[in-house]
Amino acid sequence: MVASIESTVGTERKVVTALPGPKSQELHARRKAVVSAGVTVGFPVYIDRAEGAIIVDVDGNHILDLGSGIAVTSIGHAVPELVKAVSEQVAAFTHTCFMVTPYESYVQVCEELSALTPGTHEKRTALFNSGAEAVENAVKIARHATGRQAIIVFDHAYHGRTNLTMALTAKNMPYKDGFGPFAPEVYRVSMSYPFRDGRSGAEAAEFAIKQIETQVGAKNVAAILIEPIQGEGGFIVPAEGFLPALSAWTKANGVVFIADEIQSGFGRTGAWFAVDHEGVVPDMVTTAKGLAGGMPLAGVTGRADLMDAVHEGGLGGTYGGNPVASAAALASINFMRDRNLLERAGVLGDTITTVLTNLAQDVTIIGEVRGRGAMIAMELVEPGTTNPNAAAAKSIVKYCNDRGVIALACGTYGNVIRLLPPLVITDEQLADGLAVLSDAVRAAN
Ligand code: PLZ
């Protein structure tokens, strides 16, 4: 049985040393001797335990988490229901390989994904370990099912760091530089980016579709792959109508519409999936991150005819749909449902948007506040222009970190601060985090 875990964390941010503290610094020195320099750390405090929205480091600092480990721990850290489900599964069995001898939880996760992803059509799912792996498999399946090769991706897109997903990802540094050659038959077209392109959704879609038709040819296109709200690229919310227009074009041309909901999915935006806000029903959806509350699990869920077009044995992997990760996903999904976390994401988003929009009246470096639900960002600019201000983003992140708040930067130009708080963050914790963030913006202004 699982011993009940006494809370030793509490709910308040509490900084007791300079950050990072001495023990973290010692660990960081050890790290340098053995960990590849290619793997960097944003905020080198070493973590001992965590609960809800608070992370405790090895020096006893209680840090407020506004990033959820990049949109993963949406249900919060160390949720007792998840701890119990995972612990019981670990004790029962940790691995058999679903392709060798299967187990029920894998099937249950697929049932949940069939029910939760948009559309009432018949669906199938395959489970994997990471977001990049899910995206790779979605591309494999779309190519196999259509017999076509070209994949359309967008400016500012992020889809992963494996060879194929590097090709799908837009930004060179740090993701691609020197790591080529990249996979062929990947074509990049213009994203709808209202702050910078001034186009309506319909105009931006027409522009992108023209690029596809003139540069690739509709009949060569296997799939359009798009993040309904771009994550790493800068929390770019396409203008209304952009996604429905692209979706209509794919339907008319026998092209598979793949929504990469790895960052925007699983309740983050106040709906199960970001495409739900525009009534778009993708042919395939990739999921990971918030799906399993911190355990590595990813999925490709799609139309049954596409998913079943693959020959037997064509999809798989040793660990895909690992039983411990599957148990975590089921516990996490149930927790989201039981606690109405989708609704909570909407409330958090309203609060964050109000605070940041008011702040934008007082400062000159906020160009735009945007996002949906608990996926909100501010794009920072040089005063009076739309020129990206990456220096401001850097100093804001540092200001927050120095005071024990995790805030993340993103964006093609490195000038966007994004908020991805755990959906269980309390009103008091959020107010505290937003107060520190507001001070940070004023200090950078
Ligand atoms: N698709 C939309 O956001 C992962 C990347 C962090 P993996 N985003 C965080 C980093 O710098 O490596 C992501 C995503 C979208 C795919 C992925 C890839 O997911 O689980 O990191 O492979």
Side-chain angles (χ1 to χ4, degrees), residues 85-341:
V86 166
S87 306
E88 286 176 358
Q89 183 56 52
V90 167
F93 64 99
T94 53
H95 177 84
T96 60
C97 185
F98 189 76
M99 301 184 306
V100 177
T101 48
Y103 39 87
E104 184 180 1
S105 57
Y106 187 116
V107 179
Q108 284 176 300
V109 172
C110 298
E111 286 167 350
E112 289 284 12
L113 283 164
S114 274
L116 297 176
T117 51
T120 53
H121 54 282
E122 204 173 328
K123 296 170 198 161
R124 304 280 186 267
T125 292
L127 298 177
F128 303 97
N129 306 295
S130 68
E133 206 189 344
V135 172
E136 288 237 16
N137 277 280
V139 168
K140 280 167 64 174
I141 297 162
R143 284 179 169 157
H144 200 291
T146 59
R148 303 174 180 181
Q149 293 189 347
I151 305 297
I152 306 296
V153 289
F154 291 82
D155 285 334
H156 314 290
Y158 183 90
H159 298 292
R161 293 176 182 262
T162 58
N163 186 262
L164 174 57
T165 58
M166 274 193 294
L168 302 168
T169 290
K171 191 174 174 177
N172 179 49
M173 273 306 249
Y175 307 122
K176 302 166 74 165
D177 196 64
F179 294 135
F182 302 111
E185 287 305 312
V186 173
Y187 300 89
R188 191 170 309 285
V189 300
S190 298
M191 178 67 182
S192 168
Y193 191 166
F195 180 63
R196 296 194 175 276
D197 71 7
R199 293 190 180 110
S200 71
E203 287 163 354
E206 194 186 323
F207 191 80
I209 288 165
K210 200 160 278 169
Q211 288 175 311
I212 300 169
E213 288 180 341
T214 55
Q215 296 176 29
V216 191
K219 71 172 178 21
N220 299 312
V221 179
I224 280 188
L225 169 65
I226 189 163
E227 300 156 85
I229 297 178
Q230 290 182 321
E232 304 305 308
F235 278 30
I236 300 168
V237 186
E240 197 183 331
F242 181 71
L243 296 171
L246 288 181
S247 167
W249 181 86
T250 58
K251 278 190 178 44
N253 289 281
V255 172
V256 179
F257 185 100
I258 308 172
D260 180 348
E261 292 263 12
I262 285 165
Q263 190 154 163
S264 58
F266 270 92
R268 179 50 54 190
T269 65
W272 282 108
F273 294 95
V275 285
D276 290 334
H277 295 286
E278 288 211 65
V280 168
V281 178
D283 300 305
M284 260 184 226
V285 180
T286 55
T287 53
K289 291 189 184 279
L291 165 63
M295 295 299 288
L297 187 71
V300 181
T301 303
R303 272 170 38 202
D305 60 314
L306 301 173
M307 301 295 295
D308 285 346
V310 178
H311 51 272
E312 282 187 15
L315 304 173
T318 305
Y319 295 112
N322 168 273
V324 183
S326 294
L330 296 172
S332 175
I333 292 167
N334 282 331
F335 189 84
M336 284 192 170
R337 251 193 227 115
D338 292 349
R339 305 295 170 103
N340 284 328
L341 289 189

